Amino acid sequence: MFARRTHQSDSFSKHRAGKSTSKTKRSFREQAATSRRVERATALDTTPPVGNTLTSPILTLCVGPEQRLFAAHEDVLATSPFFSAIIRGQFLESTSKRVNLPEEIPEVFSSVLEYLYKGDYYPRLLHNKRRNTWELEDTETNNGGRGAVESTVYHPATQQTLLKDTLLYCTAERYGLEELKRLALRKQGLQSGIHCSTILASSRYAYENTPDSDSKLRAHYLALIIRSRNTFKRSGTMQMEMEKGGKMFFDLYVAMQVPFLVVHMITLTLTAS
């Protein structure tokens, strides 16, 4: 999933599902639409019904310190408990219909809105029926694509570059969007060519912005670091991060005492989820 700064051969690209030109691919949204599982009100297929949601009032959202403007329908936002509370009037300025979100990152929030309207965010997650694997759409050759997309985003508050899918996962946690969390976690597992320092910084952020009761993203990072601990050690960043301490490295220390068993159990947990 990652690469050392000087050796591309240390990337996780070899573990990523291969791309296929087969026409049997299905999007994550289409796959979810056929599922019989009963989900929360934040189900994947959140495309607003014509004549109802799309005619609801529009809210203006000011995002980030630079107050970039976004607009969205109330009923679309209301699928999130966070925004539902705002719409009920707990925080909304009734005269202006404007919501201020100064701590959010525009690039991340844009993907949240895209998910709320379409059930996925770019690049889409596709299911290859022939291989029975999940793949990210090919952003370079897809005719309808928007071109290559960065897998990392600069986070002003921490002054670090972090994985976008991790930021989306933590944002979805705040907004109460369980299916978006699941989608972001699955997409992050398909990323490759990420620097060790970015992995470690993102894992620390994940620990600081998820509750102890939510272990999926934390387990993902622990399993990743344990499986590739030699590469992390060679990168020179592992020791510096460990000196900072924190719950993540306590869990990592405990887990590495019996690495094979822990990695196996974590892998089984992630597979089941």
Side-chain angles (χ1 to χ4, degrees), residues 40 44 64 85 88-89 92-93 97-98 103 127 144 177 201 206 208 224 231 241 257-258 263:
R40 299 176 53 183
L44 277 178
R88 288 199 305 267
L92 183 64
E93 301 173 15
K97 291 286 185 180
R98 176 176 296 226
E103 297 183 358
H127 184 243
L177 298 171
E208 294 172 350
L224 171 64
T231 303
E241 286 291 327
Q257 304 309 305
V258 280
V263 171

Side-chain angles (χ1 to χ4, degrees), residues 146-213:
R146 292 174 247 168
V149 60
E150 290 291 336
S151 59
T152 58
V153 174
Y154 179 73
H155 190 263
T158 61
Q159 297 184 342
Q160 291 179 308
T161 298
L162 305 177
L163 282 166
K164 182 179 178 180
D165 292 319
T166 289
L167 292 171
L168 271 163
Y169 186 101
C170 296
T171 301
E173 168 64 31
R174 293 196 301 274
Y175 291 172
L177 298 171
E178 292 298 320
E179 285 297 334
L180 178 54
K181 288 168 58 178
R182 186 162 70 97
L183 177 60
L185 183 61
R186 179 165 282 180
K187 285 189 175 185
Q188 179 162 302
L190 297 175
Q191 297 291 350
S192 63
I194 308 299
H195 290 155
C196 292
S197 59
T198 301
I199 297 290
L200 292 173
S202 299
S203 61
R204 183 181 290 276
Y205 180 89
Y207 259 81
E208 294 172 350
N209 291 274
T210 56
D212 291 339
S213 58

Side-chain angles (χ1 to χ4, degrees), residues 2-273:
F2 60 90
R4 295 176 60 196
R5 295 184 181 276
T6 57
H7 294 84
Q8 186 65 27
S9 59
D10 285 332
S11 73
F12 266 167
S13 57
K14 63 182 179 180
H15 298 299
R16 177 176 175 177
K19 295 184 177 61
S20 170
T21 57
S22 171
K23 296 183 179 180
T24 60
K25 294 180 180 179
R26 302 176 64 197
S27 69
F28 188 58
R29 175 182 167 191
E30 291 169 342
Q31 182 78 1
T34 61
S35 175
R36 295 184 179 178
R37 294 176 57 195
V38 177
E39 299 289 353
R40 299 176 53 183
T42 55
L44 277 178
D45 190 7
T46 52
T47 303
V50 177
N52 180 19
T53 305
L54 292 182
T55 59
S56 65
I58 294 178
L59 296 184
T60 300
L61 305 113
C62 301
V63 180
E66 298 181 356
Q67 295 191 326
R68 283 182 54 182
L69 298 180
F70 293 83
H73 294 84
E74 282 188 2
D75 287 353
V76 174
L77 292 172
T79 58
S80 158
F82 175 86
F83 286 109
S84 179
I86 292 178
I87 293 169
R88 288 199 305 267
Q90 295 184 16
F91 307 102
L92 183 64
E93 301 173 15
S94 58
T95 56
S96 63
K97 291 286 185 180
R98 176 176 296 226
V99 178
N100 293 315
L101 302 169
E103 297 183 358
E104 300 296 348
I105 300 174
E107 293 83 356
V108 175
F109 188 77
S110 176
S111 293
V112 173
L113 283 186
E114 185 176 6
Y115 164 79
L116 288 176
Y117 275 97
K118 300 180 179 180
D120 202 344
Y121 61 91
Y122 187 75
R124 294 177 304 162
L125 187 64
L126 303 177
H127 184 243
N128 189 319
K129 292 176 64 177
R130 183 171 61 84
R131 298 186 180 186
N132 193 27
T133 58
W134 290 97
E135 305 170 359
L136 292 176
E137 67 177 319
D138 193 331
T139 58
E140 296 181 0
T141 60
N142 178 26
N143 293 330
R146 292 174 247 168
V149 60
E150 290 291 336
S151 59
T152 58
V153 174
Y154 179 73
H155 190 263
T158 61
Q159 297 184 342
Q160 291 179 308
T161 298
L162 305 177
L163 282 166
K164 182 179 178 180
D165 292 319
T166 289
L167 292 171
L168 271 163
Y169 186 101
C170 296
T171 301
E173 168 64 31
R174 293 196 301 274
Y175 291 172
L177 298 171
E178 292 298 320
E179 285 297 334
L180 178 54
K181 288 168 58 178
R182 186 162 70 97
L183 177 60
L185 183 61
R186 179 165 282 180
K187 285 189 175 185
Q188 179 162 302
L190 297 175
Q191 297 291 350
S192 63
I194 308 299
H195 290 155
C196 292
S197 59
T198 301
I199 297 290
L200 292 173
S202 299
S203 61
R204 183 181 290 276
Y205 180 89
Y207 259 81
E208 294 172 350
N209 291 274
T210 56
D212 291 339
S213 58
D214 185 351
S215 61
K216 290 184 176 63
L217 183 58
R218 297 182 180 189
H220 167 80
Y221 277 115
L222 290 178
L224 171 64
I225 295 172
I226 293 173
R227 283 199 306 265
S228 307
R229 55 190 178 276
N230 291 332
T231 303
F232 277 97
K233 289 179 181 179
R234 291 197 303 269
S235 72
T237 59
M238 188 72 168
Q239 184 64 33
M240 291 187 295
E241 286 291 327
M242 292 188 71
E243 290 174 356
K244 296 178 183 178
K247 190 176 188 310
M248 183 191 76
F249 286 99
F250 175 79
D251 288 351
L252 184 62
Y253 172 78
V254 173
M256 290 182 70
Q257 304 309 305
V258 280
F260 175 79
L261 177 61
V262 171
V263 171
H264 180 65
M265 292 177 64
I266 290 176
T267 301
L268 290 178
T269 301
L270 292 176
T271 302
S273 65

